[in-house]
């Protein structure tokens, strides 16, 4: 029995629709939620991500304060711009699209963003709040994964979740969110140092694969009925496509879907949720400001 394909596009559209209705409520109070997305250089993947974010901002009715900077922008200039945006009360969220050009220190840039406007959830204050369960912005992709599980009514309490990958952007934070009491999984994290990965994944009720490599997870590593969330986005050559490539995830989709009960496709699974949760965080920031007013 093939798996149920989790429609991330539809669930993300539902999240954006909910955000849009709350944005219009805030506008009636005179507050227009605003996100500043900063792009340095012309990395094709980054340009594509920023285009997607701007489209979502227009859809939910938020102000788009995107700033496109040349590759030659200095670190000092970028930090000065962030400082200006930190002080601007009309801006509720600041996001610097990564990766940055080699001459700019990403850590310094992330640290420069005010935690109150860190809608990406990357600042150490945001990460600390996540770790100890204090209120704060949750990182968008991990939060989107939890929303997918909840919207699909997938039972998580007491289940064994295995996360493949230990990145600061997905692997570590999603492990923490899965272990929180409202999700209540028992979590195992696997990575390149894991010796017996297939033995571990075969015991998992839920697998989140975020390794950054195609075919990390194959059908023989999955027990019947497991839920598989594939975070990977890998370009592989495909002469039949106009672009010359196609996108695949980190799991062998055709193989794994025959064993899993639920699976996310790539594209159209986790990806759309990331931008939807960014809109959610920006709305949350604007709502907090409205409460202070």
């Amino acid at each position: 029995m093939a798996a149920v394909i989790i429609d991330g596009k539809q669930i993300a559209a539902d999240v954006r629709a909910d955000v849009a209705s709350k944005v219009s409520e805030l506008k009636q109070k005179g507050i227009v939620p605003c996100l500043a997305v900063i792009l340095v250089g012309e990395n094709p993947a980054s340009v594509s991500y920023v285009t997607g974010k701007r489209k979502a901002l227009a859809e939910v009715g938020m102000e788009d304060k995107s700033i496109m900077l040349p590759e030659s922008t200095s670190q000092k200039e970028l930090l000065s711009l962030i400082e200006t945006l930190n002080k601007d009360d009309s801006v509720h969220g600041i996001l610097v699209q990564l990766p940055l050009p080699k001459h700019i220190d990403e850590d310094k840039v992330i640290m420069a963003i005010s935690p109150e406007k860190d809608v990406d959830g990357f600042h150490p204050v945001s990460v600390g709040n996540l770790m100890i369960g204090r209120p704060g912005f949750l990182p968008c992709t991990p939060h989107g994964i939890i929303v997918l599980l909840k919207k699909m009514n997938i039972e998580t309490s007491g289940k064994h979740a295995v996360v493949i990958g230990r990145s600061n952007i997905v692997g570590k934070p999603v492990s923490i969110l899965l272990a929180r009491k409202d999700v209540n999984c028992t979590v195992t994290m696997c990575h390149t140092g894991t010796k017996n990965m297939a033995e571990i994944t075969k015991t998992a009720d839920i697998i989140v694969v975020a390794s950054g490599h195609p075919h990390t997870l194959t059908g023989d590593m999955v027990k019947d009925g497991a839920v598989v969330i594939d975070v990977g986005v890998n370009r592989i050559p495909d002469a039949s496509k106009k672009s010359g490539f196609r996108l695949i995830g980190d799991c062998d989709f055709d193989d794994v879907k025959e064993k899993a009960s639920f699976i996310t496709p790539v594209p159209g699974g986790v990806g759309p949720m990331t931008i939807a949760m960014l809109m959610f965080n920006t709305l949350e920031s604007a709502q907090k400001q409205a409460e202070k007013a």
Side-chain angles (χ1 to χ4, degrees):
M1 191 182 81
V4 173
I5 311 293
I6 299 173
D7 188 348
K9 280 186 184 170
Q10 184 55 55
I11 295 171
D14 294 344
V15 172
R16 292 196 307 272
D18 186 46
V19 167
S21 81
K22 291 186 172 120
V23 167
S24 69
E25 285 170 25
L26 275 182
K27 283 181 173 174
Q28 286 164 12
K29 297 175 187 169
I31 293 173
V32 182
C34 169
L35 176 64
V37 179
I38 304 168
L39 175 64
V40 184
E42 292 173 12
N43 174 312
S46 293
V47 170
S48 162
Y49 289 139
V50 168
T51 303
K53 285 162 186 170
R54 298 188 74 176
K55 191 176 161 197
L57 284 169
E59 186 189 332
V60 300
M62 289 185 185
E63 189 182 337
D64 173 1
K65 201 164 190 166
S66 297
I67 301 160
M68 310 298 158
L69 300 171
E71 182 99 16
S72 58
T73 302
S74 71
Q75 180 170 296
K76 190 178 175 186
E77 287 169 323
L78 179 56
L79 293 174
S80 169
L81 170 61
I82 291 168
E83 188 53 38
T84 302
L85 294 169
N86 279 339
K87 291 174 181 167
D88 185 343
D89 287 342
S90 72
V91 175
H92 301 100
I94 303 169
L95 183 151
V96 178
Q97 185 65 46
L98 303 178
L100 287 164
K102 298 270 187 285
H103 64 278
I104 298 176
D105 182 334
E106 285 186 4
D107 282 345
K108 280 192 177 151
V109 170
I110 290 167
M111 291 284 284
I113 297 168
S114 163
E116 292 182 353
K117 299 188 179 188
D118 172 39
V119 287
D120 240 349
F122 289 167
H123 192 283
V125 169
S126 304
V127 176
N129 286 334
L130 163 71
M131 189 76 202
I132 61 175
R134 288 191 69 222
F137 296 116
L138 298 177
C140 300
T141 303
H143 190 191
I145 291 166
I146 302 301
V147 172
L148 283 179
L149 293 171
K150 288 186 173 177
K151 295 278 189 188
M152 295 303 293
N153 296 313
I154 290 165
E155 182 58 54
T156 56
S157 188
K159 300 295 184 185
H160 181 205
V162 171
V163 176
I164 305 174
R166 55 180 161 187
S167 72
N168 291 337
I169 294 173
V170 181
K172 288 177 192 168
V174 82
S175 298
I176 295 163
L177 288 177
L178 285 164
R180 274 189 173 183
K181 279 191 177 170
D182 63 322
V183 183
N184 225 21
C185 288
T186 300
V187 182
T188 304
M189 187 193 287
C190 296
H191 44 71
T192 47
T194 304
K195 295 278 190 279
N196 53 341
M197 198 180 301
E199 285 172 38
I200 296 168
T201 55
K202 275 184 195 162
T203 69
D205 304 302
I206 298 166
I207 303 172
V208 177
V209 54
S211 60
H213 298 284
H215 300 289
T216 297
L217 186 74
T218 51
D220 58 354
M221 297 168 71
V222 179
K223 77 174 180 184
D224 287 338
V227 174
V228 177
I229 307 291
D230 191 346
V231 186
V233 182
N234 304 287
R235 292 183 178 204
I236 60 162
D238 186 342
S240 70
K241 301 282 183 188
K242 199 166 87 171
S243 61
F245 67 85
R246 65 189 168 95
L247 297 178
I248 64 166
D250 290 347
C251 84
D252 183 341
F253 183 83
D254 291 332
D255 196 16
V256 173
K257 76 174 170 39
E258 299 305 318
K259 300 279 284 295
S261 57
F262 291 87
I263 191 168
T264 56
V266 177
V270 174
M273 294 302 294
T274 301
I275 293 180
M277 300 326 291
L278 175 64
M279 300 299 113
F280 177 89
N281 280 354
T282 306
L283 168 69
E284 202 172 56
S285 180
Q287 285 171 329
K288 281 179 191 162
Q289 189 174 311
E291 285 162 18
K292 282 183 196 169

